[in-house]
């Protein structure tokens, strides 16, 4: 949500005016789709990575404002809390050696940011949830000094009307409360963007939804929160609960959470934007001066500012995005499933796997979403978050038998999804050397059943066995993680334990 939002009170008339403006924006989007006003295919992808600031002791450092001043680059931005940063990588065309180029750009950017953070005795960590975070770190006083975060926090807290209850029952159980949305800041992710034509949007979004579980299974990297070992990827339940505007009574009525997987396959991008208006009250009812229908009547491309802002407060794991570049509207699918890290090589391997398998699944004559119930895809996502690379999924049978069967996640990726990803990357025109190297990283993770979460858990338990306290073991795990992250070997090659 890169909007410039001014702090201030929101009154009752703002909400009605905003709702009316949202409806005009939705009508504008419908007209844009009907009139085929969108950009032509460009095969463009984009990447954002959320980061943590840590000290040499492995503890979070609340310094993002000072670090950003030293970095002095528009590629780096604030995130929700003062120990967070975000780096944005410029859009690239999916072709040739794009993944090697991306890897080099990210390494260069992170090394520069790490040097600048080092001037303040801090460093950069790419990890789904920093294991050393304490409840006292995730309070409203540690939110970034940005108006939109303060206003968003105020609006979500007001909508909920009571403390947020965080309860995650995994390897161990966490149960606690928070007075703000600050715990959301523990979740640091990689967001993958793919620009698509309206005709391709539904197929790409449905394919992305179908493979979210596989993405998490191979990429899980967030097993700890507040000193507890929870799910292998604890970000999704934490994110949902820390942004949940529903008190228990509304949850019992089946009101949808603002962070959700969804409930159906779609036929158009319009379906998702329309659902957002139908189901979700505005959190930031701030109106733009533009009238989208007047702009359309004049032959222009409306910004649909209210629709874009509202869309940014509904946290789908695969989010529809509307934008305007060089005066031409376009649509993107934003994949928000993956945790950050562990290394640049791992991030790019996850990226290659996603773009490859989504392309192949979207091109299939008998798509997977016509054979897999949506409820099964949602259950697969939940299983992947809980169990990581050891999860089991429901998946369509191959061949003529039809129906679904239960499969091991790692076996599904190796036997079915990696060959699809290879075909998809070939269709994008990716250089075979790039394709084989990065998909090989995914294959090795599955073969060895190792990802960031399994390495963190194994190293933590090794430290406990050596007689360390839980706090010391988590700090030691974090320090070793950061050391190996900067060394750069993919996580399946990391030795377990301290050196």
């Amino acid at each position: 949500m890169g909007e410039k939002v001014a702090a201030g009170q929101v009154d009752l008339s703002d909400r009605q005016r905003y709702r009316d403006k949202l409806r005009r924006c939705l009508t504008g989007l419908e007209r844009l789709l009907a009139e085929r006003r969108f950009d032509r295919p460009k095969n463009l992808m984009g990447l954002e990575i959320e980061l943590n600031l840590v000290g040499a002791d492995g503890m979070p450092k609340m310094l993002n404002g000072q670090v950003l001043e030293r970095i002095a680059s528009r590629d780096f931005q604030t995130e929700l809390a003062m120990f967070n940063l975000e780096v944005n990588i410029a859009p690239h065309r999916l072709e040739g050696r794009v993944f090697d180029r991306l890897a080099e750009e990210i390494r260069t950017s992170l090394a520069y940011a790490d040097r600048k953070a080092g001037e303040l005795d801090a460093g950069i960590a790419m990890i789904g949830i920093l294991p050393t975070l304490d409840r006292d770190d995730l309070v409203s006083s540690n939110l970034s000094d940005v108006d939109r975060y303060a206003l968003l926090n105020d609006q979500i807290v007001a909508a909920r009307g009571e403390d947020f209850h965080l309860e995650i029952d995994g390897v161990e159980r966490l149960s606690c409360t928070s007075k703000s949305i600050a715990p959301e800041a523990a979740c640091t992710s990689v967001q993958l963007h793919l620009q698509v034509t309206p005709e391709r949007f539904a197929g790409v979004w449905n394919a992305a939804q179908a493979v979210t579980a596989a993405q998490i299974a191979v990429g899980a990297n967030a097993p700890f929160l507040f000193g507890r070992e929870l799910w292998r990827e604890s970000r999704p339940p934490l994110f949902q609960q820390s942004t949940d505007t529903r008190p228990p009574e509304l949850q019992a009525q089946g009101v949808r959470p603002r962070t959700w997987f969804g409930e159906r396959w779609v036929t158009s991008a319009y379906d998702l934007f329309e659902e957002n208006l139908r189901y979700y009250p505005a959190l930031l009812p701030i109106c733009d001066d533009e009238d989208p229908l007047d702009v359309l009547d004049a032959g222009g491309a409306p910004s649909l500012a209210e629709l874009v802002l509202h869309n940014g407060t509904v946290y789908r794991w695969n989010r529809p995005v509307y934008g305007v570049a060089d005066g031409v509207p376009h649509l993107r699918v934003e994949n928000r499933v993956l945790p950050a890290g562990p290394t640049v090589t791992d991030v790019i391997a996850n990226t290659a796997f996603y773009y490859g398998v989504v392309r192949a699944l979207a091109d299939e004559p008998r798509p997977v979403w016509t054979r897999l119930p949506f409820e099964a895809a949602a259950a697969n996502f939940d299983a992947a978050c809980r169990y990581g690379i050891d999860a089991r999924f429901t998946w369509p049978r191959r061949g003529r038998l039809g129906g679904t069967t239960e499969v091991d996640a790692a076996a599904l990726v190796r036997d079915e999804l990696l060959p699809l990803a290879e075909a998809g990357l070939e269709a994008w025109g990716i250089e075979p050397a790039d394709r084989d190297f990065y998909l090989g990283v995914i294959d090795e993770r599955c073969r060895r059943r190792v990802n960031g979460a399994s390495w963190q858990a194994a190293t933590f338990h090794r430290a406990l066995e050596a007689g360390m306290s839980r706090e010391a073991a988590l700090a030691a795990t974090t320090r070793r993680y950061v050391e190996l992250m900067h060394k750069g070997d993919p996580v399946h090659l990391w030795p377990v334990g301290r050196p």
Side-chain angles (χ1 to χ4, degrees):
M1 272 181 34
E3 300 295 323
K4 298 296 183 187
V5 174
Q9 290 296 109
V10 174
D11 62 34
L12 298 179
S13 63
D14 290 331
R15 294 190 178 278
Q16 184 58 56
R17 189 167 70 254
Y18 190 79
R19 184 180 290 115
D20 294 341
K21 197 71 181 295
L22 274 175
R23 288 173 181 148
R24 290 184 72 81
C25 285
L26 189 64
T27 300
L29 177 66
E30 188 174 30
R31 277 183 53 181
L32 285 164
L33 291 167
E35 295 169 12
R36 300 181 179 274
R37 297 273 296 276
F38 284 87
D39 204 358
R40 295 183 299 276
K42 289 186 176 177
N43 296 351
L44 285 178
M45 56 84 70
L47 186 67
E48 304 166 63
I49 307 175
E50 295 166 349
L51 307 165
N52 291 281
L53 292 170
V54 297
D57 56 0
M59 309 304 273
K61 300 279 274 189
M62 307 295 169
L63 293 169
N64 66 355
Q66 298 96 305
V67 171
L68 283 168
E69 283 182 12
R70 283 167 166 77
I71 291 174
S73 167
R74 295 178 64 183
D75 292 342
F76 285 85
Q77 300 175 356
T78 55
E79 256 299 325
L80 184 59
M82 291 193 289
F83 62 90
N84 298 142
L85 299 175
E86 181 177 86
V87 60
N88 297 291
I89 306 301
H92 285 63
R93 191 177 294 274
L94 271 165
E95 62 184 12
R97 301 300 297 268
V98 63
F99 294 123
D100 267 355
R101 292 198 304 275
L102 278 170
E104 187 57 34
E105 286 181 32
I106 296 170
R107 287 190 186 99
T108 300
S109 293
L110 294 186
Y112 174 68
D114 195 63
R115 286 197 303 274
K116 292 301 180 182
E119 296 173 6
L120 295 164
D121 297 321
I124 299 293
M126 279 197 306
I127 192 167
I129 296 176
L130 193 64
T132 50
L133 283 170
D134 186 78
R135 287 177 61 186
D136 291 341
D137 297 317
L138 292 165
V139 292
S140 57
S141 58
N142 283 336
L143 294 177
S144 294
D145 186 19
V146 177
D147 283 346
R148 72 176 180 272
Y149 298 138
L151 183 56
L152 185 66
N153 178 66
D154 291 346
Q155 293 298 301
I156 291 179
V157 169
R160 184 172 175 86
E162 59 188 75
D163 289 353
F164 297 88
H165 188 208
L166 307 179
E167 185 159 343
I168 305 174
D169 198 359
V171 177
E172 298 174 306
R173 184 170 178 270
L174 173 72
S175 182
C176 64
T177 59
S178 172
K179 294 186 179 301
S180 75
I181 65 169
E184 177 200 330
C187 307
T188 42
S189 65
V190 172
Q191 291 129 41
L192 303 175
H193 291 253
L194 179 60
Q195 184 175 330
V196 294
T197 61
E199 295 75 24
R200 297 267 301 166
F201 182 93
V204 169
W205 189 86
N206 289 339
Q209 287 285 96
V211 299
T212 51
Q215 288 181 272
I216 288 289
V218 298
N221 196 28
F224 297 107
L225 177 65
F226 299 158
R228 299 284 198 277
E229 184 179 356
L230 302 172
W231 293 9
R232 282 300 179 250
E233 187 54 42
S234 302
R235 285 169 41 256
L238 172 60
F239 202 106
Q240 176 174 325
Q241 293 174 27
S242 61
T243 59
D244 201 343
T245 55
R246 309 168 303 162
E249 295 81 5
L250 291 184
Q251 295 179 36
Q253 291 174 35
V255 173
R256 295 159 182 83
R258 293 194 85 96
T259 301
W260 74 323
F261 186 81
E263 60 191 15
R264 62 183 176 120
W265 307 115
V266 302
T267 59
S268 165
Y270 182 88
D271 295 351
L272 300 174
F273 287 104
E274 189 275 333
E275 278 185 354
N276 288 354
L277 269 64
R278 182 154 38 105
Y279 295 146
Y280 298 104
L283 289 178
L284 301 173
I286 299 162
C287 287
D288 189 76
D289 293 334
E290 173 191 271
D291 186 303
L293 302 186
D294 288 348
V295 173
L296 274 171
D297 289 340
S303 65
L304 306 184
E306 292 81 8
L307 191 75
V308 170
L309 181 58
H310 184 60
N311 188 56
T313 66
V314 180
Y315 305 104
R316 297 177 184 272
W317 295 110
N318 286 291
R319 177 189 273 163
V321 178
Y322 170 89
V324 179
D326 300 322
V328 183
H330 67 265
L331 291 172
R332 303 194 304 273
V333 173
E334 180 190 14
N335 178 260
R336 306 173 60 253
V337 172
L338 290 165
T343 66
V344 173
T345 297
D346 288 302
V347 168
I348 299 302
N350 293 338
T351 300
F353 175 64
Y354 169 76
Y355 286 119
V357 76
V358 162
R359 171 69 185 260
L361 289 176
D363 286 348
E364 280 191 323
R366 191 174 171 225
V368 65
W369 58 91
T370 65
R371 298 175 286 133
L372 180 69
F374 192 90
E375 296 76 14
N380 290 344
F381 178 66
D382 187 72
C385 293
R386 287 176 183 271
Y387 305 114
I389 206 151
D390 295 318
R392 295 187 66 80
F393 298 155
T394 298
W395 197 254
R397 285 192 184 91
R398 286 190 281 184
R400 297 180 179 178
L401 290 176
T404 60
T405 187
E406 187 177 277
V407 295
D408 172 75
L412 173 68
V413 172
R414 293 193 81 194
D415 297 344
E416 189 167 342
L417 298 184
L418 276 173
L420 283 170
E422 184 176 338
L425 294 180
E426 186 174 342
W428 286 121
I430 301 300
E431 190 75 25
D434 253 24
R435 177 197 68 201
D436 294 345
F437 174 74
Y438 290 109
L439 294 185
V441 170
I442 303 297
D443 186 54
E444 280 298 299
R445 279 195 224 147
C446 293
R447 190 176 70 82
R448 303 180 189 213
R449 291 187 176 269
V450 171
N451 57 21
S454 67
W455 181 90
Q456 287 186 57
T459 297
F460 168 71
H461 286 288
R462 186 76 59 88
L464 288 181
E465 291 162 6
M468 299 180 78
S469 68
R470 291 181 70 91
E471 293 75 13
L474 287 166
T477 298
T478 303
R479 292 193 300 271
R480 181 63 169 153
Y481 177 102
V482 173
E483 176 190 344
L484 292 170
M485 181 201 85
H486 286 296
K487 185 180 175 186
D489 291 333
V491 71
H492 68 266
L493 298 177
W494 288 11
V496 170
R498 297 177 298 148

